[in-house]
Amino acid sequence: MKHIIGLVAGSLIAISAQAQAQPQMYFTVNSSDVMVQGAAMVLATQSVKQKASVRVLLCGQAADMALKDHEMQSLKPMNATPQQMLQGLVKNGATVEVCALYLPNKGLQPDALIQGVKPGKPADVASYMLKSDVKMLAF
């Protein structure tokens, strides 16, 4: 009987730990549309505010928002550009990367990126994507 009680208690502890685990959200953004980029940043920001761990991968023209000298249109009602929202994500602990093909094919170096954004490493990105508890969204 003690053995069964121990198993039940252990199972309840494991279930409780899983229920309390921080949600992991993975946003991939490749759209060139500023409103789609903005929508991705808004949802990523809301995820951070709701205590999720957020990781963002920017590819193609969407990665342009990570360039220091990139000018963008402000979006209402936040009156902020997707890049400004991206900077807020970085400031609040999100991991933000550009795809591994982006910088070499643009003829750029990592120092062209805004602070906190790094080139992605395919093996690390794939490993993260394969985790069963990661929720992925593509924009």
Side-chain angles (χ1 to χ4, degrees):
M1 184 70 165
K2 288 181 184 180
H3 183 14
I4 292 173
I5 293 172
L7 287 173
V8 170
S11 296
L12 290 174
I13 290 169
I15 290 169
S16 176
Q18 284 179 339
Q20 294 177 6
Q22 184 179 36
Q24 297 183 64
M25 303 294 295
Y26 190 58
F27 293 81
T28 60
V29 187
N30 61 25
S31 175
S32 61
D33 185 294
V34 70
M35 281 192 264
V36 173
Q37 293 170 359
M41 297 302 101
V42 166
L43 292 175
T45 299
Q46 288 302 312
S47 296
V48 167
K49 286 182 179 180
Q50 294 180 37
K51 308 298 183 212
S53 170
V54 171
R55 187 167 179 171
V56 178
L57 179 67
L58 304 171
C59 298
Q61 290 182 337
D64 291 347
M65 80 168 97
L67 295 175
K68 288 178 182 174
D69 61 356
H70 188 65
E71 293 185 26
M72 300 188 80
Q73 165 189 349
S74 286
L75 298 172
K76 296 177 183 179
M78 299 82 47
N79 294 319
T81 68
Q83 184 184 66
Q84 290 168 328
M85 291 183 253
L86 181 69
Q87 289 169 315
L89 281 170
V90 169
K91 182 179 177 183
N92 287 304
T95 299
V96 180
E97 302 158 309
V98 295
C99 68
L101 300 174
Y102 180 73
L103 292 174
N105 286 288
K106 287 285 240 180
L108 299 171
Q109 297 297 318
D111 63 357
L113 300 171
I114 59 176
Q115 185 175 358
V117 178
K118 297 179 171 65
K121 296 177 182 170
D124 292 344
V125 170
S127 175
Y128 188 78
M129 290 171 55
L130 291 171
K131 293 168 74 174
S132 62
D133 58 342
V134 172
K135 293 178 183 174
M136 295 179 54
L137 292 104
F139 292 84

